Amino acid sequence: MKKFTSVKDVADVNALVTEALVLKRNPLGYKETGRNKTLGLIFLNPSLRTRLSTQKAAVNLGMDVMVMNIDKEGWALETLDGVIMNGTSVEHIREAAGVMGQYFDIMGLRSFPNLKNRDEDYREDILNKFIHYSDLPVISLESGTLHPLQSLADLITIEELKTAKKPKVVLTWAPHVKPLPQAVPNSFAEWMSVADVELVIAHPKGYDLDPAYTSGATITNNQDEALQDADFIYVKNWSSYQPYGQILTQDPGWMLTEERLKNTNSGKVMHCLPVRRDLELGADILDGPNSLVLQQAANRVWAAQVVLKKMLETNFPIPS
Amino acid sequence: MKKFTSVKDVADVNALVTEALVLKRNPLGYKETGRNKTLGLIFLNPSLRTRLSTQKAAVNLGMDVMVMNIDKEGWALETLDGVIMNGTSVEHIREAAGVMGQYFDIMGLRSFPNLKNRDEDYREDILNKFIHYSDLPVISLESGTLHPLQSLADLITIEELKTAKKPKVVLTWAPHVKPLPQAVPNSFAEWMSVADVELVIAHPKGYDLDPAYTSGATITNNQDEALQDADFIYVKNWSSYQPYGQILTQDPGWMLTEERLKNTNSGKVMHCLPVRRDLELGADILDGPNSLVLQQAANRVWAAQVVLKKMLETNFPIPS
Amino acid sequence: MKKFTSVKDVADVNALVTEALVLKRNPLGYKETGRNKTLGLIFLNPSLRTRLSTQKAAVNLGMDVMVMNIDKEGWALETLDGVIMNGTSVEHIREAAGVMGQYFDIMGLRSFPNLKNRDEDYREDILNKFIHYSDLPVISLESGTLHPLQSLADLITIEELKTAKKPKVVLTWAPHVKPLPQAVPNSFAEWMSVADVELVIAHPKGYDLDPAYTSGATITNNQDEALQDADFIYVKNWSSYQPYGQILTQDPGWMLTEERLKNTNSGKVMHCLPVRRDLELGADILDGPNSLVLQQAANRVWAAQVVLKKMLETNFPIPS
């Protein structure tokens, strides 16, 4: 595995989930796999779960970790070519990524979309240029369009708790006060499409996701209908894909509550966090027995660890 | 030891000081005690000494450390329950602490008081909620009302240097330009009250500390009287407890100088740092032979290390 | 070696370069040299390359590293003596450095000039006070006047790639939109003056560097003449030394381009980075085969590692 930016970078998703669960039972069993290898974690945007879980995963594998919050500790990067750099950008991504390629063995990169220009965000310029100019194995820590470590952790969580062979999984839009990226729902839909689940996506009119990620899913604007007999309910806000980056409604009727869980199959409730209580998701659910949010967060470690392990084994095999 | 937030969390203070001094002579003697254990250091407020000394203590014990400046790298936390989170708070403390509970084995937390609402600060809501929702062993890195790692280091310093069986220790208020928390003086008074010392607290009228922490101490508004025959003088500014968080005076007459040391018993001068030179404390003293401030700072390592060692031994005993 | 702040702190520059190249071939050969030793990296100004390369070098030697961005995580330091600290400075450099001396075994310090008062910057007050009050072995991570780790990496790079016994090296000024420090050009000139090279410095009228650093160099205001038959061309902007810290010209005619390389001896082009593309240096050169900028950045690791190794061996010899 040279990069981990999408489910498409994974040869065998089932095998990856299985191996993650093996690591969960034996976190320190591969302390030599990453010995004397350096993971650079580069954040162009803030992070809590992703930073801590990935750092912990790397340490479990014996790696050295260097964290850099470019936005806070560093400086503005220029991403466009052909620009005379006489403005506020201090360094070009070609040099910044190239330099990191000299210091790291594997890079993790977080770069949010700006939600202004859809083509720009969906081209994944920043992520792709970091991959290209660093010439390193790169793990996305959430990019403009996808959040694969989160989705892998979500799939691990579903795999651990499912009772049906092919559970019904509902991704349902939730209200929010700020326009949020589509990365988490895109990514969740993409990963569910290759998993052995029935995926239903429910959202208000106008919130259709990029169809590139939702193939195989049933899409509806009727949340009640979607929730019927659901085994897992993934709650998440996103801004509209078209028109891009807009808040079209804040209808509180879309907030999931205990009451609405009644027609589900004792549905387990998921959210990637951070979550706005009583805005996106009822506090009653978050504090109740159906919430999986902390288990999802815990599984971020095993998602990151199995991906790092694969990358280490592929790119830096230990001589036998 | 499941938490270290006050002297009340310590079963045997003398034994703790003794063991800290053993660690000081043999810092690396317990490198296996913390092996493969993760310490998360969470700062809601800036830190220099506390961060560096605690990090070093943890590394001496073989721990892995993850530092997170939530205020700088993260986001605003909501601490109240029952709030519809449609404002600026991005995440609730229930989820943030709960998530950290998944990644850390022990947590250190710094959270200053806001000095606006006394009840709120003295309830120690943030610290208590982090303890409750993380379900981790937690070390206070200074909270709204107390700074126990500092006080333990102070007691270690006094223990190292005392010549009398029961030395006279004076805590004396000093002028400052900003309203500062009462955490350090509260905490110092609390620890001295269980130590074998005679404690005198001197401050201008109106600066009485919460009596919950000053039992057993002689309290006076006459600094000269207090300093008479003092063996140790702890200099510290604090804002008023009642009315709460106010600057009642900036009287420069309360600044300790070499001149004022004359009536002491060659009194050793202490301060937790950072110190405002020639405002709180005369530069002549800080640069002179009576100052213990660097030794106190050095002892922060052994204070943190002995607390971490106890917590590791209690919560993660190494199988024999 | 007790400090590394200038080429003058190095007893044998050739031997240092040779040993750096040995480390480059065997990065992990001295993992025990720094075991249980703590490197504190203190940044009063932002850093990317210096932080990451020095951190990596230290880890290669088995050291523990603590990074502190004082400007971001800490607080304003007072550097002057005799000041009543009733303003915005929270701590005096005497205490801050003194405390760090308790926690670190070796300190790295970055402190930029303010470019307002030349005497102040060139006195290197901050660096010297950190050295004095910490009483530690100190490595400059770029100071007001010099950047020795960069220059050592530059010399390593020239040593690796030179074909002539005594190559012609040109340091040429480049345009920029902001007034930059003179530390890199001062330092490069200082190191070249003891290396076996012919150094020519080219800059517009008024940009003369402090003669203390340029002895032995040919100085010209004619870039074309300077570039004639050059083997290495070091491109760098700096603000004027006299009047101090000014932008005297932004003449784009001084920007190096492929066209201008024609009269050189297939001149290799160097820059310390970050570089402003098409302002300081043509993108055609940066993306072409003559650029050494990434190799220079890579060599920062070996420069830092050889200096740390020397410091460890001098100050903390391993008993045989």
Side-chain angles (χ1 to χ4, degrees), chain A residues 28 31 46-53 55-56 59 67 69 72-73 110 177-178 273-279 286-287 293-298 300-301, chain B residues 36 38 42 64-70 72-75 81-92 94-96 98-100 102-105 133:
Chain A
L28 304 173
K31 262 279 185 192
S47 170
L48 189 151
R49 267 154 291 276
T50 298
R51 205 260 267 176
L52 296 176
S53 61
Q55 195 170 347
K56 177 153 180 128
V59 168
V67 177
N69 298 303
K72 304 287 196 312
E73 301 174 84
R110 163 160 293 192
V177 287
K178 286 170 59 180
L273 306 182
V275 62
R276 300 270 187 142
R277 287 180 159 245
D278 284 332
L279 178 69
L286 282 163
D287 298 333
V293 300
L294 290 185
Q295 187 162 341
Q296 284 174 272
R300 294 290 306 272
V301 176
Chain B
N36 293 323
T38 300
I42 304 297
D64 301 311
V65 184
M66 302 202 286
V67 178
M68 182 128 216
N69 298 304
I70 286 268
K72 304 287 196 311
E73 300 173 85
W75 37 60
D81 285 329
V83 171
I84 297 176
M85 287 176 59
N86 57 5
T88 53
S89 295
V90 168
E91 182 154 31
H92 199 280
R94 285 175 178 250
E95 274 75 48
V99 165
M100 289 168 191
Q102 312 298 320
Y103 303 148
F104 306 152
D105 296 299
Y133 294 117

Coordinates of all heavy atoms in Angstrom, one line a residue, chain A residues 28 31 46-53 55-56 59 67 69 72-73 110 177-178 273-279 286-287 293-298 300-301, chain B residues 36 38 42 64-70 72-75 81-92 94-96 98-100 102-105 133:
Chain A
L28 N 0.5 -4.5 21.0 CA 1.9 -4.4 21.0 C 2.7 -5.5 20.3 O 3.9 -5.7 20.5 CB 2.4 -4.2 22.4 CG 1.7 -3.0 23.1 CD1 2.1 -3.0 24.6 CD2 2.1 -1.7 22.5
K31 N 5.8 -4.4 17.6 CA 6.6 -3.3 18.1 C 7.8 -3.1 17.2 O 8.4 -2.0 17.1 CB 7.0 -3.5 19.5 CG 6.2 -2.8 20.6 CD 6.6 -1.3 20.7 CE 5.9 -0.6 21.8 NZ 6.0 0.8 21.8
P46 N -7.2 21.8 12.3 CA -7.2 21.2 13.7 C -7.6 19.8 13.7 O -8.4 19.3 12.9 CB -8.2 22.1 14.5 CG -8.4 23.3 13.7 CD -8.2 22.9 12.2
S47 N -7.2 19.1 14.7 CA -7.5 17.6 14.9 C -7.3 17.2 16.3 O -6.4 17.7 17.0 CB -6.5 16.8 14.0 OG -6.7 15.4 14.3
L48 N -8.2 16.4 16.8 CA -8.1 15.8 18.2 C -8.0 14.3 18.0 O -7.0 13.7 18.3 CB -9.3 16.3 19.0 CG -9.2 16.0 20.5 CD1 -10.0 17.0 21.3 CD2 -9.7 14.6 20.9
R49 N -9.1 13.7 17.7 CA -9.1 12.2 17.6 C -8.1 11.7 16.6 O -7.4 10.7 16.9 CB -10.5 11.8 17.1 CG -11.5 11.4 18.1 CD -12.9 11.6 17.6 NE -13.1 13.0 17.4 CZ -13.5 13.9 18.4 NH1 -13.8 13.4 19.5 NH2 -13.6 15.2 18.1
T50 N -8.1 12.3 15.4 CA -7.2 11.8 14.4 C -5.7 11.9 14.8 O -5.0 10.9 14.6 CB -7.5 12.5 13.1 OG1 -8.8 12.3 12.7 CG2 -6.5 12.0 12.0
R51 N -5.4 13.0 15.4 CA -4.0 13.1 15.8 C -3.6 12.1 16.9 O -2.6 11.4 16.8 CB -3.8 14.6 16.3 CG -2.3 15.0 16.2 CD -1.6 14.9 17.5 NE -1.6 16.2 18.2 CZ -1.1 16.3 19.4 NH1 -0.6 15.3 20.0 NH2 -1.2 17.5 20.0
L52 N -4.5 12.1 17.9 CA -4.1 11.2 19.1 C -4.2 9.8 18.7 O -3.3 9.0 19.1 CB -5.1 11.5 20.3 CG -5.0 13.0 20.9 CD1 -6.0 13.1 21.9 CD2 -3.6 13.2 21.4
S53 N -5.2 9.4 18.0 CA -5.3 7.9 17.7 C -4.2 7.5 16.7 O -3.7 6.4 16.8 CB -6.7 7.6 17.1 OG -6.9 8.3 15.9
Q55 N -1.2 8.9 16.3 CA 0.0 8.9 17.1 C 0.2 7.7 18.0 O 1.2 7.0 18.0 CB 0.0 10.2 18.0 CG 1.4 10.6 18.5 CD 1.4 12.0 19.2 OE1 0.4 12.7 19.0 NE2 2.4 12.2 20.0
K56 N -0.9 7.3 18.6 CA -0.9 6.1 19.5 C -0.7 4.9 18.6 O 0.1 4.0 19.0 CB -2.2 6.0 20.2 CG -2.2 4.8 21.1 CD -3.1 4.9 22.3 CE -3.1 3.6 23.1 NZ -2.8 3.9 24.5
V59 N 3.0 4.7 17.7 CA 3.8 4.3 18.9 C 3.7 2.8 19.2 O 4.6 2.1 19.5 CB 3.5 5.2 20.1 CG1 4.1 4.6 21.3 CG2 4.0 6.6 19.8
V67 N 4.9 15.6 14.9 CA 3.6 16.2 14.6 C 3.9 17.7 14.2 O 4.7 18.4 14.9 CB 2.7 16.2 15.8 CG1 1.4 17.0 15.5 CG2 2.4 14.8 16.2
N69 N 1.7 21.1 13.2 CA 0.5 21.9 12.9 C 0.9 23.1 12.0 O 1.2 24.1 12.5 CB -0.2 22.4 14.1 CG -0.7 21.3 15.0 OD1 -1.4 20.4 14.6 ND2 -0.2 21.2 16.2
K72 N -0.7 26.4 12.5 CA -0.4 27.1 13.7 C 1.1 27.4 13.9 O 1.5 28.4 14.3 CB -0.9 26.3 15.0 CG -2.3 25.9 15.0 CD -3.3 27.1 15.2 CE -4.7 26.6 15.6 NZ -5.2 25.6 14.7
E73 N 1.9 26.4 13.6 CA 3.3 26.5 13.9 C 4.1 27.0 12.7 O 5.2 27.4 12.8 CB 3.9 25.1 14.3 CG 3.2 24.6 15.5 CD 3.7 23.2 15.8 OE1 4.8 23.0 16.5 OE2 3.1 22.2 15.4
R110 N -3.6 16.0 6.9 CA -5.0 16.5 7.0 C -5.1 17.9 6.3 O -4.3 18.8 6.5 CB -5.4 16.7 8.4 CG -6.6 17.6 8.6 CD -7.3 17.5 9.9 NE -8.0 16.2 10.0 CZ -8.8 15.8 10.9 NH1 -9.2 16.7 11.8 NH2 -9.4 14.6 11.0
V177 N -25.1 24.4 12.5 CA -25.1 25.8 12.3 C -24.0 26.3 11.3 O -24.0 27.5 10.9 CB -25.0 26.6 13.6 CG1 -26.3 26.5 14.4 CG2 -23.8 26.1 14.4
K178 N -23.1 25.4 11.0 CA -22.0 25.8 10.1 C -22.0 24.9 8.9 O -22.4 23.7 9.0 CB -20.7 25.7 10.8 CG -20.4 26.8 11.8 CD -19.2 26.5 12.7 CE -17.9 26.4 11.8 NZ -16.7 26.1 12.7
L273 N -17.9 12.3 15.6 CA -17.4 13.3 16.5 C -16.5 14.3 15.8 O -15.8 13.9 14.9 CB -16.8 12.7 17.7 CG -17.6 11.7 18.5 CD1 -16.8 11.2 19.7 CD2 -18.9 12.2 19.0
P274 N -16.4 15.6 16.3 CA -17.2 16.2 17.4 C -18.6 16.3 17.0 O -18.9 16.6 15.8 CB -16.5 17.5 17.6 CG -15.9 17.9 16.2 CD -15.5 16.6 15.7
V275 N -19.5 16.2 18.0 CA -20.9 16.3 17.7 C -21.5 17.4 18.5 O -21.1 17.7 19.7 CB -21.7 14.9 18.1 CG1 -21.5 14.6 19.6 CG2 -23.1 15.0 17.7
R276 N -22.5 18.1 17.9 CA -23.2 19.2 18.6 C -24.4 18.6 19.3 O -25.4 18.2 18.6 CB -23.6 20.3 17.6 CG -22.5 20.9 16.8 CD -22.0 22.1 17.6 NE -21.0 22.9 16.8 CZ -20.9 24.2 16.8 NH1 -21.8 24.9 17.5 NH2 -20.0 24.8 16.1
R277 N -24.4 18.5 20.6 CA -25.5 17.9 21.3 C -26.8 18.7 21.2 O -26.8 19.9 21.3 CB -25.1 17.9 22.8 CG -24.1 16.8 23.1 CD -23.7 16.8 24.6 NE -23.1 15.5 24.8 CZ -23.7 14.5 25.6 NH1 -24.8 14.8 26.3 NH2 -23.1 13.4 25.8
D278 N -27.8 17.9 21.0 CA -29.2 18.5 20.9 C -29.4 19.4 19.7 O -30.3 20.2 19.6 CB -29.6 19.2 22.2 CG -30.0 18.2 23.2 OD1 -30.5 17.1 22.8 OD2 -29.9 18.4 24.4
L279 N -28.4 19.4 18.8 CA -28.5 20.1 17.5 C -28.5 19.1 16.4 O -29.4 18.9 15.6 CB -27.4 21.2 17.4 CG -27.4 21.9 16.1 CD1 -28.6 22.9 16.0 CD2 -26.1 22.7 15.9
L286 N -27.0 10.2 23.0 CA -25.5 10.1 23.2 C -25.2 9.6 24.6 O -24.2 8.9 24.8 CB -25.0 11.6 23.1 CG -24.8 12.0 21.7 CD1 -24.6 13.5 21.6 CD2 -23.5 11.3 21.0
D287 N -26.1 9.8 25.6 CA -25.9 9.4 26.9 C -26.6 8.0 27.2 O -26.5 7.5 28.3 CB -26.4 10.4 27.9 CG -25.7 11.7 27.8 OD1 -24.5 11.7 27.4 OD2 -26.2 12.8 28.1
V293 N -20.6 6.0 19.9 CA -19.6 7.0 19.5 C -18.2 6.9 20.1 O -17.2 7.1 19.5 CB -20.1 8.5 19.7 CG1 -21.4 8.7 18.8 CG2 -20.4 8.8 21.1
L294 N -18.2 6.5 21.4 CA -16.9 6.3 22.0 C -16.2 5.0 21.5 O -15.0 5.0 21.3 CB -17.0 6.2 23.5 CG -17.4 7.5 24.2 CD1 -17.3 7.4 25.7 CD2 -16.4 8.7 23.7
Q295 N -17.0 4.0 21.2 CA -16.4 2.8 20.6 C -15.8 3.1 19.2 O -14.7 2.6 18.8 CB -17.4 1.7 20.5 CG -16.9 0.4 20.1 CD -17.8 -0.8 20.4 OE1 -18.7 -0.7 21.2 NE2 -17.6 -1.9 19.8
Q296 N -16.5 3.9 18.4 CA -16.0 4.3 17.1 C -14.6 5.1 17.3 O -13.7 4.8 16.6 CB -16.9 5.3 16.4 CG -18.1 4.7 15.8 CD -19.0 5.9 15.3 OE1 -19.9 6.4 16.1 NE2 -18.9 6.3 14.1
A297 N -14.6 6.0 18.3 CA -13.4 6.7 18.5 C -12.3 5.8 18.9 O -11.1 6.0 18.5 CB -13.6 7.8 19.6
A298 N -12.6 4.8 19.8 CA -11.6 3.9 20.2 C -11.0 3.1 19.0 O -9.8 2.9 18.9 CB -12.1 3.0 21.3
R300 N -10.6 4.1 16.1 CA -9.7 4.8 15.3 C -8.3 4.4 15.4 O -7.5 4.4 14.5 CB -9.8 6.3 15.6 CG -11.2 7.0 15.3 CD -11.4 7.1 13.8 NE -10.3 7.8 13.1 CZ -10.2 9.1 13.0 NH1 -11.2 9.8 13.3 NH2 -9.1 9.6 12.4
V301 N -7.9 3.9 16.6 CA -6.5 3.5 16.9 C -6.2 2.3 16.0 O -5.2 2.2 15.3 CB -6.3 3.1 18.3 CG1 -4.9 2.5 18.5 CG2 -6.5 4.3 19.2
Chain B
N36 N 5.2 1.2 27.6 CA 4.0 1.0 26.8 C 2.7 1.6 27.4 O 1.6 1.2 27.1 CB 3.8 -0.5 26.5 CG 4.9 -1.0 25.6 OD1 5.3 -0.3 24.7 ND2 5.3 -2.2 25.8
T38 N 0.6 5.2 28.0 CA 0.5 6.6 27.4 C 0.0 7.6 28.4 O -1.0 7.4 29.0 CB -0.4 6.5 26.2 OG1 0.1 5.5 25.3 CG2 -0.5 7.8 25.5
I42 N -3.1 17.4 28.6 CA -4.1 18.3 28.0 C -4.0 19.6 28.7 O -4.2 19.8 29.9 CB -5.5 17.7 28.2 CG1 -5.5 16.3 27.6 CG2 -6.6 18.6 27.5 CD1 -5.3 16.2 26.1
D64 N 5.1 6.8 27.1 CA 4.9 7.6 25.9 C 4.1 8.8 26.2 O 3.1 8.6 27.0 CB 4.2 6.7 24.8 CG 5.1 5.5 24.5 OD1 6.3 5.6 24.2 OD2 4.5 4.4 24.5
V65 N 4.4 9.9 25.7 CA 3.7 11.1 26.1 C 3.0 11.8 24.8 O 3.7 11.9 23.8 CB 4.6 12.2 26.7 CG1 3.8 13.4 27.2 CG2 5.4 11.6 27.9
M66 N 1.8 12.2 24.9 CA 1.1 12.9 23.9 C 0.6 14.2 24.5 O -0.1 14.2 25.5 CB 0.0 12.2 23.3 CG 0.4 10.8 22.7 SD -0.8 10.1 21.5 CE -2.1 9.6 22.5
V67 N 1.1 15.3 23.9 CA 0.8 16.7 24.5 C -0.3 17.3 23.5 O -0.1 17.3 22.3 CB 2.0 17.6 24.5 CG1 1.6 19.0 25.0 CG2 3.1 17.0 25.4
M68 N -1.3 17.9 24.1 CA -2.3 18.6 23.3 C -2.7 19.9 23.9 O -3.1 19.9 25.1 CB -3.5 17.7 23.2 CG -4.6 18.3 22.3 SD -5.1 17.1 21.0 CE -5.4 18.2 19.6
N69 N -2.4 21.0 23.2 CA -2.8 22.3 23.7 C -4.2 22.5 23.1 O -4.3 23.1 22.0 CB -1.8 23.3 23.2 CG -0.4 23.1 23.8 OD1 -0.2 23.1 25.0 ND2 0.6 23.0 22.9
I70 N -5.2 22.2 23.8 CA -6.6 22.2 23.3 C -6.9 23.7 22.9 O -7.5 23.9 21.9 CB -7.6 21.8 24.4 CG1 -7.5 20.3 24.5 CG2 -9.0 22.2 24.0 CD1 -8.5 19.5 23.7
K72 N -4.9 25.9 21.8 CA -4.3 26.4 20.6 C -4.5 25.4 19.4 O -4.7 25.9 18.3 CB -2.8 26.4 20.8 CG -2.3 27.3 22.0 CD -2.5 28.8 21.7 CE -1.7 29.6 22.7 NZ -1.9 29.2 24.1
E73 N -4.5 24.2 19.7 CA -4.5 23.2 18.5 C -5.9 22.7 18.3 O -6.2 22.1 17.3 CB -3.6 22.0 18.8 CG -2.2 22.4 19.0 CD -1.4 21.1 19.5 OE1 -0.9 20.4 18.6 OE2 -1.2 21.0 20.7
G74 N -6.8 22.8 19.3 CA -8.1 22.2 19.3 C -9.2 23.1 19.1 O -9.2 23.9 18.2
W75 N -10.2 23.1 20.0 CA -11.4 23.9 19.8 C -12.0 24.1 21.2 O -11.7 23.5 22.2 CB -12.3 23.2 18.9 CG -12.3 21.7 19.0 CD1 -12.6 21.0 20.1 CD2 -12.0 20.8 18.0 NE1 -12.5 19.6 19.8 CE2 -12.1 19.5 18.5 CE3 -11.5 20.9 16.7 CZ2 -11.9 18.3 17.8 CZ3 -11.3 19.7 15.9 CH2 -11.4 18.5 16.5
D81 N -24.3 20.9 30.8 CA -25.3 19.9 30.3 C -26.6 20.7 29.9 O -26.9 21.7 30.4 CB -25.6 18.8 31.3 CG -24.4 17.9 31.4 OD1 -23.7 17.7 30.4 OD2 -24.1 17.4 32.5
G82 N -27.3 20.0 29.0 CA -28.7 20.6 28.7 C -28.6 21.8 27.8 O -29.6 22.4 27.6
V83 N -27.5 22.0 27.2 CA -27.3 23.1 26.3 C -27.5 22.6 24.8 O -27.0 21.6 24.4 CB -25.9 23.7 26.4 CG1 -25.6 24.8 25.3 CG2 -25.7 24.3 27.8
I84 N -28.3 23.4 24.1 CA -28.3 23.1 22.6 C -27.1 23.7 22.0 O -26.9 24.9 22.1 CB -29.6 23.8 22.0 CG1 -30.9 23.1 22.6 CG2 -29.6 23.6 20.5 CD1 -32.2 23.7 22.1
M85 N -26.2 22.9 21.4 CA -24.9 23.4 21.1 C -24.9 24.1 19.7 O -24.3 23.6 18.7 CB -23.9 22.3 21.1 CG -23.6 21.9 22.5 SD -22.5 20.4 22.6 CE -21.0 21.0 21.7
N86 N -25.6 25.2 19.6 CA -25.7 26.0 18.4 C -24.8 27.2 18.4 O -25.1 28.2 17.6 CB -27.1 26.3 18.0 CG -27.8 27.0 19.1 OD1 -27.2 27.4 20.1 ND2 -29.1 27.3 19.0
G87 N -23.8 27.3 19.3 CA -23.0 28.5 19.4 C -21.6 28.2 18.9 O -21.4 27.6 17.9
T88 N -20.6 28.6 19.7 CA -19.2 28.5 19.2 C -18.5 27.3 19.8 O -17.5 26.9 19.3 CB -18.4 29.8 19.7 OG1 -18.6 29.9 21.1 CG2 -18.9 31.0 19.0
S89 N -19.1 26.6 20.8 CA -18.5 25.4 21.3 C -18.6 24.3 20.3 O -19.7 24.0 19.8 CB -19.1 25.0 22.6 OG -18.9 26.0 23.6
V90 N -17.5 23.6 20.0 CA -17.5 22.6 18.9 C -17.7 21.2 19.5 O -18.2 20.4 18.8 CB -16.1 22.7 18.2 CG1 -15.9 21.5 17.3 CG2 -16.0 24.0 17.4
E91 N -17.3 21.0 20.7 CA -17.5 19.7 21.2 C -17.8 19.7 22.7 O -17.3 20.6 23.4 CB -16.2 18.9 21.0 CG -16.3 17.4 21.5 CD -15.3 16.5 20.8 OE1 -14.2 16.9 20.4 OE2 -15.7 15.3 20.7
H92 N -18.6 18.8 23.2 CA -18.9 18.7 24.6 C -17.8 18.0 25.4 O -17.2 17.1 24.9 CB -20.3 18.0 24.8 CG -20.9 18.4 26.2 ND1 -20.5 17.7 27.3 CD2 -21.9 19.3 26.5 CE1 -21.3 18.2 28.3 NE2 -22.1 19.2 27.8
R94 N -18.2 15.9 27.6 CA -18.5 14.5 27.8 C -17.8 13.7 26.7 O -17.2 12.6 27.0 CB -20.0 14.3 27.7 CG -20.8 14.7 28.9 CD -22.3 14.6 28.7 NE -23.1 14.9 29.8 CZ -23.8 14.1 30.6 NH1 -23.8 12.8 30.2 NH2 -24.4 14.4 31.6
E95 N -17.9 14.1 25.4 CA -17.3 13.4 24.3 C -15.8 13.6 24.3 O -15.0 12.6 24.2 CB -17.9 13.8 23.0 CG -19.2 13.1 22.6 CD -20.4 13.6 23.3 OE1 -20.6 14.8 23.4 OE2 -21.1 12.7 23.9
A96 N -15.3 14.8 24.5 CA -13.9 15.0 24.5 C -13.1 14.2 25.5 O -12.2 13.5 25.2 CB -13.6 16.5 24.7
G98 N -14.4 11.6 27.1 CA -14.6 10.2 26.8 C -13.7 9.6 25.8 O -13.2 8.5 25.9
V99 N -13.4 10.4 24.8 CA -12.5 10.0 23.7 C -11.1 9.8 24.2 O -10.4 8.9 24.0 CB -12.6 11.0 22.5 CG1 -11.4 10.8 21.6 CG2 -13.9 10.8 21.8
M100 N -10.7 10.8 25.0 CA -9.3 10.7 25.6 C -9.2 9.5 26.5 O -8.1 8.9 26.5 CB -9.0 12.0 26.4 CG -8.8 13.2 25.5 SD -8.8 14.7 26.4 CE -8.9 15.9 25.0
Q102 N -10.2 6.7 25.8 CA -9.9 5.6 24.9 C -8.4 5.6 24.5 O -7.9 4.5 24.1 CB -10.7 5.7 23.6 CG -12.2 6.0 23.8 CD -12.9 4.9 24.6 OE1 -12.6 3.7 24.5 NE2 -13.7 5.3 25.5
Y103 N -7.7 6.7 24.6 CA -6.4 6.8 24.0 C -5.3 6.8 25.0 O -4.1 6.5 24.8 CB -6.2 8.0 23.1 CG -7.2 8.1 21.9 CD1 -7.6 9.3 21.5 CD2 -7.7 6.9 21.3 CE1 -8.5 9.4 20.4 CE2 -8.6 7.0 20.3 CZ -9.0 8.2 19.8 OH -9.9 8.3 18.8
F104 N -5.6 7.3 26.2 CA -4.6 7.5 27.3 C -4.7 6.4 28.3 O -5.8 5.9 28.6 CB -4.7 8.9 28.0 CG -4.7 10.1 27.0 CD1 -5.4 11.2 27.4 CD2 -4.1 10.0 25.8 CE1 -5.4 12.3 26.6 CE2 -4.1 11.1 25.0 CZ -4.7 12.3 25.4
D105 N -3.6 6.2 29.1 CA -3.7 5.4 30.3 C -3.8 6.3 31.5 O -4.4 5.9 32.5 CB -2.4 4.5 30.3 CG -2.4 3.5 29.2 OD1 -3.3 2.7 29.1 OD2 -1.5 3.6 28.4
Y133 N -15.8 11.7 33.0 CA -16.1 11.2 31.7 C -14.9 10.4 31.0 O -15.1 9.7 30.1 CB -16.6 12.3 30.8 CG -18.0 12.8 31.3 CD1 -18.1 14.1 31.7 CD2 -19.1 11.9 31.4 CE1 -19.3 14.6 32.2 CE2 -20.3 12.4 31.9 CZ -20.4 13.7 32.3 OH -21.6 14.1 32.8

